[in-house]
Amino acid sequence: MINLTPQLPRTSSLLISLSGTTQSAFIADILLLKTQKSKSPEMSALLTTLTLLFTLISTVTSSCTPSDLAALQAFKSSLNEPYLGIFKTWSGTNCCSNWYGISCDPTTGRVADINLRGESEDPIFEKAGRTGYMTGSINPSICKLDRLSTLILADWKGVSGEIPECVVSLSYLRILDLVGNQISGKIPANIGNLQRLTVLNLADNELDGEIPASLTALANMKHLDLSSNKLTGQLPADFGSLKMLSRALLSKNQLSGAIPNSISGMYRLADLDLSINKISGSLPGWIGSMKVLSTLNLDSNMISGTLPASLLSSTGLGILNLSRNAIEGNIPDAFGPKSYFMALDLSYNKLKGPIPGSLSSAAYVGHLDLSHNHLCGTIPVGTPFDHLEASSFSFNDCLCGNPLRTC
């Protein structure tokens, strides 16, 4: 008689290697056998063996692997969180169960997510009545978690040191969020190796140096925030290679040079913030023709030249801030019935001439600031001028009319 009873694998590694699809097949086999009414000893033995095997698989894959456990313990050893006690939950040998901020892949049992935010609505913060504070640094052991998809160590205010260079080896990483700390040094040169990365948030730290050239190889990135650091140099000329990017937030650095022309091809870009840098050159005409762009913040730079008419006739831009630059010439008479500006700030420039009458035809203008220029002439009547205050027009050469002095 043929023996239908399979031999159990001798090592747990074989169990771990089974994919989720394979496990689903096991479940299907078990259910199928249970619906059969055969009472043969061979069939009963097979059913028992399959049930036992699936139970072992489930047990193994829901546990923490020794290598991941050791990596997390080393990661913890380099950090100090004195107020909330989140690391007190990191006890025992199963990091996949009840370890605060840790999630594992249910199929492989490998650590997939580290989600530690110092500002959260989690009950642990409400109970403590405070936001988080953590010191220490990011231990390079994090790089041994080679199935890590999410690394969030955000808003702890006191985490310092550098980003480990080996982080670029985490090929499964999709989210890298270290915002709101005191991390210094440079962005890893080979950051472009993280081909699955969709979110890179390193804002509010003390990073210096130039933006790595490899960053533009992150073809899947949708959200980039490098604001409030000490970054220098120019934006990479091929910055527009980031075709999937919807938000590029780079304010409050020391970036210089002109706005790269390659940005014109970023058809998903909705939010571009280069404010409070040292950006120079003139405003490119194509920037007002970007179909999705809704917010453009370029204030507090060294931009010169004239104001492109396309920026004011754009039907997509809702927030435009060009204040505190050296833009000169007249304000183009290019507004139309589809112009809709929640905020339009052209203050502290070198603009001259009259306020264009077409501004009265705009569908909506919420906040308008034309102060500290060289404008002259009569302020138009009607909307949006009837709800604006004198501060919107003050410190010009010879503007008159409501809400300023009578002409």
Side-chain angles (χ1 to χ4, degrees):
M1 183 179 292
I2 299 174
N3 184 5
L4 296 177
T5 306
Q7 295 296 312
L8 285 174
R10 294 184 180 182
T11 64
S12 61
S13 61
L14 292 177
L15 302 178
I16 295 172
S17 67
L18 291 175
S19 67
T21 303
T22 307
Q23 291 184 31
S24 299
F26 268 109
I27 296 173
D29 288 340
I30 294 170
L31 292 175
L32 179 62
L33 287 169
K34 284 185 176 181
T35 62
Q36 296 176 354
K37 296 183 178 180
S38 172
K39 297 182 180 180
S40 67
E42 292 85 0
M43 194 62 71
S44 297
L46 180 58
L47 179 58
T48 301
T49 301
L50 286 173
T51 303
L52 176 60
L53 182 57
F54 182 72
T55 301
L56 286 171
I57 292 171
S58 300
T59 301
V60 171
T61 57
S62 64
S63 300
C64 186
T65 65
S67 60
D68 285 0
L69 176 62
L72 286 176
Q73 288 173 334
F75 176 72
K76 170 186 173 182
S77 70
S78 296
L79 297 168
N80 178 40
E81 189 282 297
Y83 300 113
L84 303 174
I86 62 172
F87 288 134
K88 291 180 180 178
T89 67
W90 288 29
S91 61
T93 58
N94 188 2
C95 63
C96 296
S97 177
N98 298 320
W99 279 38
Y100 184 90
I102 303 299
S103 302
C104 296
D105 186 318
T107 302
T108 64
R110 299 297 305 280
V111 173
D113 305 301
I114 298 177
N115 188 351
L116 299 174
R117 293 189 181 276
E119 296 181 4
S120 170
E121 295 181 358
D122 190 283
I124 195 171
F125 292 89
E126 295 181 6
K127 183 178 179 180
R130 59 165 298 144
T131 58
Y133 180 74
M134 186 185 296
T135 58
S137 60
I138 302 173
N139 194 300
S141 67
I142 201 76
C143 305
K144 295 180 181 178
L145 300 172
D146 54 17
R147 289 303 181 105
L148 198 63
S149 175
T150 301
L151 174 55
I152 299 175
L153 187 65
D155 296 314
W156 291 102
K157 307 171 185 67
V159 177
S160 58
E162 299 186 0
I163 301 172
E165 285 285 342
C166 62
V167 77
V168 302
S169 68
L170 297 173
S171 59
Y172 286 84
L173 202 62
R174 296 179 183 275
I175 298 174
L176 178 57
D177 187 348
L178 306 176
V179 63
N181 288 293
Q182 297 181 30
I183 296 170
S184 58
K186 293 175 172 53
I187 300 172
N190 295 318
I191 193 77
N193 290 355
L194 301 175
Q195 286 296 295
R196 288 183 169 91
L197 204 65
T198 60
V199 175
L200 178 60
N201 189 352
L202 305 177
D204 297 309
N205 279 289
E206 298 179 8
L207 296 167
D208 58 23
E210 298 187 1
I211 296 174
S214 73
L215 184 136
T216 59
L218 297 172
N220 291 305
M221 188 160 59
K222 299 177 180 179
H223 179 99
L224 173 65
D225 193 348
L226 304 178
S227 58
S228 298
N229 279 287
K230 301 176 182 178
L231 299 173
T232 56
Q234 301 184 19
L235 284 176
D238 60 343
F239 191 81
S241 298
L242 301 170
K243 299 294 186 184
M244 298 298 290
L245 199 64
S246 62
R247 302 191 76 198
L249 310 178
L250 302 159
S251 65
K252 297 180 182 178
N253 281 287
Q254 300 171 32
L255 299 172
S256 58
I259 299 171
N261 283 323
S262 63
I263 290 179
S264 62
M266 300 176 72
Y267 58 90
R268 292 176 182 265
L269 189 64
D271 189 348
L272 177 60
D273 191 348
L274 291 169
S275 61
I276 316 178
N277 277 288
K278 298 179 180 179
I279 302 297
S280 58
S282 58
L283 291 166
W286 49 258
I287 203 164
S289 302
M290 297 180 71
K291 298 296 184 182
V292 181
L293 191 66
S294 61
T295 300
L296 179 61
N297 287 315
L298 298 174
D299 57 288
S300 303
N301 278 290
M302 302 165 62
I303 297 170
S304 57
T306 58
L307 190 59
S310 63
L311 274 175
L312 305 182
S313 63
S314 171
T315 58
L317 268 177
I319 297 175
L320 176 61
N321 190 347
L322 302 176
S323 65
R324 299 180 186 276
N325 280 287
I327 301 169
E328 56 190 7
N330 288 17
I331 300 175
D333 196 10
F335 297 92
K338 294 185 178 180
S339 301
Y340 193 102
F341 287 98
M342 290 178 285
L344 175 59
D345 193 343
L346 304 177
S347 62
Y348 289 92
N349 277 287
K350 299 179 180 180
L351 297 168
K352 63 181 182 179
I355 296 174
S358 63
L359 187 54
S360 297
S361 68
Y364 178 78
V365 178
H367 172 79
L368 175 68
D369 194 347
L370 303 176
S371 65
H372 295 87
N373 279 287
H374 300 291
L375 300 175
C376 198
T378 303
I379 297 173
V381 296
T383 57
F385 304 100
D386 53 5
H387 74 266
L388 297 172
E389 298 182 358
S391 58
S392 295
F393 308 100
S394 60
F395 296 97
N396 275 285
D397 287 1
C398 50
L399 280 180
C400 61
N402 188 53
L404 299 181
R405 62 179 176 84
T406 303
C407 293

